[in-house]
Amino acid sequence: MSVSAPLIVRLLASSVSVAGRAGKIVRDVMSKGELGIVEKGKDDYQTEADRSAEKCIVASLSKQYPKASIIGEEDSSVEEGEVSPDWIVVDADKEVLGLECPASLKGVKEEDIVVWVDPLDGTSEYTQGFLEHVTVLIGISVNEKPVAGVIHQPFFKNQTGGEVKMGRTIWGLSEIGVGGFTPAPPPGSLIITTTRSHSNPVVEKALQVMNAAQILRVGGAGYKVLQLLEGKASVYVFASPGCKKWDTCAPEAVLSAAGGKLTDILGNFYKYGASAPKPNKTGVLAAVNDELHSYALNRIPQELKDTLANK
């Protein structure tokens, strides 16, 4: 890897490569059919794919960036020799390595960085066969703010001629832009994307006030943000404390690099420092531009915002 590239660019390039390897692990576990499902809490599942993909990501990035803080959903502590050598990725994506680094991030040191990892976003959907909803998320934050991120779709089918290649990796870098997909403008009518499996009366109330033409109910924060980026939905609304920092760090980084905005339901940005509380207690509100975000924020009644803020 080119050590001449600035640290943030190198870390993003490494994350793109390791996300692809983690995605292959996720596919391999599914093809073997032994998911090894463990229930961590109500409607909160973990599989062999979550555990193995996280070990791959944490071990690979820790080896190359030992001073960065890496926080994974499954809380994997990886001992030397515990991870198969086949899972250690030290390659870096060549296209990303060639990116310019924003001036504001050129002086960043390893110890300034916190990496938030969700090795398998959409575990519930993974176990139920909604495989297109599944993503691998690697978010990179500096000074508590997401500055770069990777969203990898293990089960995305790339059709080239007669050949089908599995997997797609989308990335974003603050002030530079996004890659790995073709951004599209928002749909002509208001389409909301929201949770498929974690609804409640407050979540539904927030959806009703939007006056949307259509509501899409899908799994995973990564997949919902992809729907915004690809013009399939206008706004992502989730008025509940169900998400965690590893669910939103990468999606927020990619969305903001594309000119979008992700906040809580009150319109406040989350902080992604190493000591930040992991739950996103005041929900998620995201849109591909400021105008749609402001529209959605103003539609949500103050009473509903107060309900969430006081939970």
Side-chain angles (χ1 to χ4, degrees):
M1 192 199 305
S2 168
V3 287
S4 60
L7 174 61
I8 286 292
V9 171
R10 279 188 282 129
L11 177 53
L12 178 59
S14 299
S15 299
V16 166
S17 292
V18 76
R21 182 67 187 91
K24 184 177 185 308
I25 291 170
V26 169
R27 288 194 302 274
D28 289 347
V29 171
M30 177 56 72
S31 64
K32 282 178 192 158
E34 295 173 14
L35 300 188
I37 300 168
V38 174
E39 192 166 2
K40 297 191 291 183
K42 187 180 184 301
D43 297 326
D44 189 7
Y45 300 95
Q46 181 199 81
T47 69
E48 183 54 45
D50 295 78
R51 296 184 287 273
S52 298
E54 182 163 308
K55 283 181 179 175
C56 162
I57 296 166
V58 172
S60 298
L61 295 181
S62 299
K63 187 180 175 77
Q64 297 172 81
Y65 308 97
K67 293 180 184 169
S69 296
I70 302 174
I71 302 171
E73 176 174 9
E74 311 313 334
D75 203 19
S76 296
S77 53
V78 180
E79 300 297 325
E80 191 72 37
E82 186 190 339
V83 176
S84 160
D86 181 43
W87 288 1
I88 305 287
V89 178
V90 291
D91 298 336
D93 183 86
K94 302 273 191 301
E95 181 193 353
V96 174
L97 266 185
L99 292 175
E100 194 181 335
C101 182
S104 60
L105 296 174
K106 280 183 176 167
V108 170
K109 300 184 180 70
E110 263 185 46
E111 43 272 53
D112 300 331
I113 294 169
V114 182
V115 181
W116 292 86
V117 176
D118 190 340
L120 200 167
D121 185 39
T123 301
S124 176
E125 285 67 30
Y126 181 69
T127 62
Q128 295 167 30
F130 295 94
L131 300 180
E132 71 276 15
H133 299 198
V134 171
T135 58
V136 175
L137 304 175
I138 303 176
I140 300 163
S141 76
V142 174
N143 296 328
E144 303 190 320
K145 184 184 171 193
V147 297
V150 175
I151 303 174
H152 175 77
Q153 291 177 284
F155 296 98
F156 186 87
K157 293 186 175 88
N158 293 290
Q159 192 96 30
T160 320
E163 193 184 345
V164 176
K165 187 182 169 204
M166 296 297 286
R168 173 172 76 155
T169 307
I170 284 121
W171 53 263
L173 177 60
S174 176
E175 298 175 46
I176 300 299
V178 293
F181 75 110
T182 306
S189 56
L190 187 70
I191 299 176
I192 303 291
T193 183
T194 191
T195 183
R196 190 185 76 85
S197 52
H198 295 93
S199 196
N200 61 45
V202 176
V203 169
E204 293 305 316
K205 175 67 176 168
L207 296 173
Q208 286 162 17
V209 298
M210 291 296 152
N211 291 343
Q214 188 182 357
I215 295 174
L216 306 175
R217 297 180 186 272
V218 303
Y223 187 64
K224 292 182 189 74
V225 165
L226 282 180
Q227 290 190 308
L228 300 179
L229 292 166
E230 296 194 294
K232 292 170 185 170
S234 326
V235 184
Y236 164 16
V237 182
F238 182 53
S240 172
C243 270
K244 308 283 197 311
K245 295 291 183 301
W246 44 71
D247 294 310
T248 53
C249 185
E252 181 178 340
V254 177
L255 186 62
S256 62
K261 188 173 186 179
L262 187 151
T263 66
D264 69 2
I265 288 290
L266 312 177
N268 301 318
F269 289 103
Y270 282 113
K271 293 182 177 179
Y272 293 88
S275 59
K278 295 178 175 73
N280 291 339
K281 288 190 173 175
T282 38
V284 177
L285 183 65
V288 81
N289 59 44
D290 278 354
E291 188 183 349
L292 279 167
H293 188 278
S294 295
Y295 168 84
L297 185 62
N298 291 331
R299 298 290 306 181
I300 297 171
Q302 189 60 44
E303 180 191 355
L304 193 151
K305 291 175 181 173
D306 292 343
T307 301
L308 262 188
N310 297 324
K311 272 200 171 184

